[in-house]
Structures are given as C-alpha cells and as structure tokens.
C-alpha cells in the first residue's frame, strides 16, 4: 500500500472513553503511515486530555446532525474509505454525498464496519464478511465487517510501529519524577476500573499484605476509578492499617493524562488493572501481569467474552478466580498473586506481537475489498 487514501472515520461516544480512545489510536496510526484521515465524532471533548497534540494528516470534525458545512470537505477530497466504528451508523447525508459523487464519476468508497474486540470464536467466522446494504441513501452498496482479534484469522490489534522499542528504552523513575510521584522502591500497581464490588476487599488486602509482604503504591486513574477508590478508602478508613497501625498501601491519584502517558503508566507498573477495550490491549503490550474489568453488558454477554479472553491468555486458575471475583461473577476475592500471573501475559504478548497489527491488516483489507468491488463492476 503506497498510495495515500482519504479515510473518513465515524465515531459516536456512547459512554466512557473506549470508543473515542480506539478511534483516535486508529486515526493517528493511519496518519502516521501517510494516510489522510477525517475523524467525525459527536463529542470530541475527551481529546483535550487524551490526545492534546495535533497530528499531521488527521482532522477532527464535529459529527453534528446534520453534518452541515463540513460536508463540503468531500468536494475538496472525496472519501476513499469509510469506517463505521462499532456499528455507529454513518450520517445519511454523508452517504448521500458519496453516492452523488459516485454518480459523477468518483470511485465508490470502501465501507468498513469496525467491530468491538473479542476473543470469542465467532470473530474468526465473521471477520471480513461482506453485507449488502438494503436501506438508506447507499442502498445496494456493500459494507465489510472487520473484527479486531487475537488470532491470525482476525483483524488483529492496534500496535503502532516502534511501540515496543519505545517501551524498551523507557525509564520509569524519570516518569514517576515527572508526575511528581514519590517512589521509594515499593511495588507499583495501576488501577483503571469501573466500580468493582471486590475493590472493597482488595484495598484492605493490599494494606495488610501488600505485594507478598512488600509495600505497594497504587496509581489510580482519574474519573470512575479514582472515585471508586476514594469511596472505599472513605468507607473503610480503619481497615487501612495493619495490627501495628502501619499500612503497606499508599495511593497516588493521577489526573487525566494523555494516551501516551497512559501507556507510560502501564509500562511503569508491576501489575496493571485495566478495563474496557483499549487499555487491556495496551496492558498486553506492556507485558506485565494484568487484571481486566470487562465492560459490563446487560445480558451478561460480557462473561462469555471474559472467559474467551482468559482462555486466549492461557490464564492460570488463580488468575481466572481473581477475574471472576473482580468482574462480580462469583467467589470471594482471592489473594493477589502477580508472580503466578506474569508468564501468561508475557507469552501472550510475545505471541501477539508476531501477528500483523490492526492498521497493517486494515490497509491490506481495504485494498482487497476495493479489488473485489472493481471485479464486480
Ligand atoms: O473507558 P473504557 O471503559 O471504554 C469502554 C470500552 O471501550 C467498552 O468496550 C466500550 O463499549 C465503552 O467504553 C463505551 O476503557 P478503554 O476501552 O480502556 O478506554 C479508555 C481510554 O481512555 C484508553 O484509550 C486510555 C484512555 N485514557 C487516557 O488516555 N488517559 C487517562 O487518564 C485515562 C483514565 C484513560
């Protein structure tokens, strides 16, 4: 793939930060590979802290309803690839404009639906399937399903070029100093979660037993995680001291930081608690023991997804039990055992690094989908 294409990526922020977090990473990665990208998003406010620096080749546009004057950008540069992130339904006036441009002789854009990440077996079956569109302005067009995933038969995982080399040269002491975090060698644990009920058991456990008896510092992400930790601390203030009145747990609350710094946080810590979709992938690349709080779904579909992830990870039984409690499925909070959890994350990370990353695959997929479309025209 050597030709710069115009990508239009549509993103709706449902809740939390993952939809925008994943879309931004993809856009930035495409732009860094010479592609032209427009990100249409209904609420870009989180980018002020998540991605404070502009990227060459990447324009963020408001997804207003209707799109209004920004639609004129298609005249300046027609769309080559249209990405509907997480089934968000592209703005109909955008599609209508693409159809008008096709009638005027422009090539039809390749239309890709980027799905959520899962390790479940259906992902391999569904990845890359075409689906005919039967309604709306682009009725009769084809939409392609692109599934991220953990095996070579899926769309892979986002991993920018040079990421692992950057991690290898990273100095955590300097990073901690820059964040104003005093560190005297205690074990470092990041905490990015929703409101897991088991947090009320984990924090006293850390206060009393630490990391196999050593002191622990918890680095808590801003937002829901910070609020959840503060609520437990306020509720159980007396529990945070061991019998001699000395707690092994200290806590640092972080402000909202950029995605770049969020990666640094994960590289810094000896154990990472992550959640949702994007941070769990970043924690895999960090290669440290991890605990995942999956985004909860109403019909408990997330529990199957969690099981599939743990199977992919080849998680030992103690890590599976810990996840069951952490995700509110069942069981008491088992003891933290990061030494027993390290090997599976390390080897999954190494295995996954051997696979093509998502952006490489998407570029290839787009070109194959275009060839297929040309053959049928
Ligand atoms: O915020 P999340 O829980 O997002 C979730 C999931 O993506 C879920 O699948 C989706 O359905 C739901 O949102 C709507 O967790 P996730 O996916 O890890 O996204 C968090 C993003 O926020 C990630 O890109 C990292 C970024 N982040 C920062 O850059 N700095 C910060 O300080 C924090 C706290 C997060």
């Amino acid at each position: 793939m050597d030709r710069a294409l115009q990508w239009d990526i549509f993103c709706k922020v449902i809740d939390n930060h993952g939809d925008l977090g994943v879309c931004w990473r993809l856009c930035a990665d495409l732009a860094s590979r010479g592609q032209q990208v427009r990100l249409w998003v209904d609420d870009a406010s989180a980018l002020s802290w998540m991605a404070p620096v502009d990227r060459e080749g990447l324009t963020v546009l408001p997804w207003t309803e209707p799109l209004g004057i920004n639609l004129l950008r298609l005249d300046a540069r027609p769309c080559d690839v249209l990405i509907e992130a997480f089934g968000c339904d592209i703005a109909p006036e955008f599609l209508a404009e693409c159809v008008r441009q096709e009638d005027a002789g422009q090539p039809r854009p390749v239309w890709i639906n980027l799905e959520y990440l899962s390790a479940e077996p259906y992902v391999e079956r569904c990845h890359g399937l075409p689906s005919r569109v039967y309604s709306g302005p682009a009725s009769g067009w084809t939409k392609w399903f692109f599934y991220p995933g953990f095996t070579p038969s899926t769309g892979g995982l986002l991993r920018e070029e040079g990421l692992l080399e950057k991690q290898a040269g990273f100095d955590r002491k300097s990073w901690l100093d820059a964040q104003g975090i005093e560190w005297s060698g205690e074990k470092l644990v990041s905490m990015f979660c929703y409101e897991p009920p088991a947090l009320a058991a984990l924090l006293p456990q850390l206060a009393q037993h630490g990391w196999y008896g050593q002191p622990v510092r918890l680095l808590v992400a801003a937002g829901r995680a910070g609020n959840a930790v503060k609520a437990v601390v306020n509720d159980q203030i007396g529990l945070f001291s061991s019998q001699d009145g000395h707690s092994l747990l200290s806590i640092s609350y972080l402000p909202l930081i950029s995605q770049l710094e969020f990666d640094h946080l994960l590289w810094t810590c000896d154990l990472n608690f992550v959640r949702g979709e994007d941070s769990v992938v970043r924690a895999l690349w960090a290669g440290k023991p991890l605990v995942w709080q999956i985004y909860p779904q109403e019909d408990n579909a997330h529990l199957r997804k969690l099981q599939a992830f743990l199977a992919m990870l080849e998680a030992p039984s103690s890590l599976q039990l810990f996840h069951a409690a952490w995700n509110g499925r069942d069981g008491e909070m088992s003891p933290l055992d990061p030494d027993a959890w390290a090997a599976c994350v390390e080897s999954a990370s190494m295995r996954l690094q051997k696979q093509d990353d998502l952006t490489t695959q998407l570029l290839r997929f787009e070109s194959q989908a275009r060839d297929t479309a040309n053959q049928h025209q």
Side-chain angles (χ1 to χ4, degrees), residues 14-19 21-22 25 49-50 116 192 194 221-222 255-260 262 275-280 295 305:
I14 308 291
D15 59 6
N16 302 302
H17 310 310
D19 300 300
V22 170
R25 266 193 215 289
W49 49 267
M50 196 188 277
Y116 283 110
F192 183 45
Y194 306 114
L256 285 165
I257 52 179
S258 67
Q259 277 190 335
L260 182 71
F262 193 84
R275 74 180 201 200
E277 173 158 340
D278 186 56
S279 55
V280 70
Y295 182 75
K305 198 168 164 175

Side-chain angles (χ1 to χ4, degrees), residues 84-103:
E84 177 174 331
F86 314 123
C88 67
D89 288 335
I90 307 285
E93 62 276 25
F94 188 95
L95 290 172
E97 182 56 23
C98 292
V99 170
R100 193 193 64 73
Q101 291 195 335
E102 187 193 30
D103 292 344

Side-chain angles (χ1 to χ4, degrees), residues 290-310:
L290 67 88
V291 176
W292 186 34
Q293 187 178 16
I294 190 166
Y295 182 75
Q297 287 169 268
E298 259 168 28
D299 52 0
N300 273 346
H302 62 285
L303 294 179
R304 281 196 303 278
K305 198 168 164 175
L306 177 65
Q307 275 319 107
F309 174 79
L310 292 170

Side-chain angles (χ1 to χ4, degrees), residues 18-30 33 86 114 117 146 148-149 155-161 163 259 263 277-278 281-282 284-285 352 355-362:
D19 300 300
L20 188 53
V22 170
C23 287
W24 175 265
R25 266 193 215 289
L26 172 61
C27 291
D29 201 12
L30 283 166
R33 299 180 198 206
F86 314 123
L114 175 67
L117 173 65
F146 189 96
L157 302 171
L158 280 166
R159 192 183 71 241
E160 316 84 89
E161 283 164 347
L163 178 72
Q259 277 190 335
D263 272 343
E277 173 158 340
D278 186 56
V281 174
R282 306 313 284 189
L284 278 169
W285 298 144
L352 292 164
Q355 295 174 20
D356 282 342
D357 67 274
L358 188 145
T359 305
T360 299
Q361 295 211 46
L362 191 61

Side-chain angles (χ1 to χ4, degrees), residues 46-62:
L47 290 180
S48 64
W49 49 267
M50 196 188 277
V53 181
D54 286 348
R55 292 294 187 111
E56 201 188 321
L58 167 46
T59 312
V60 180
L61 295 166

Side-chain angles (χ1 to χ4, degrees), residues 119-141:
E120 291 165 281
Y122 75 83
V123 169
E124 288 194 345
R125 289 197 302 275
C126 299
H127 175 57
L129 290 182
S131 164
R132 203 171 168 80
V133 177
Y134 284 105
S135 62
S139 179
W141 286 21

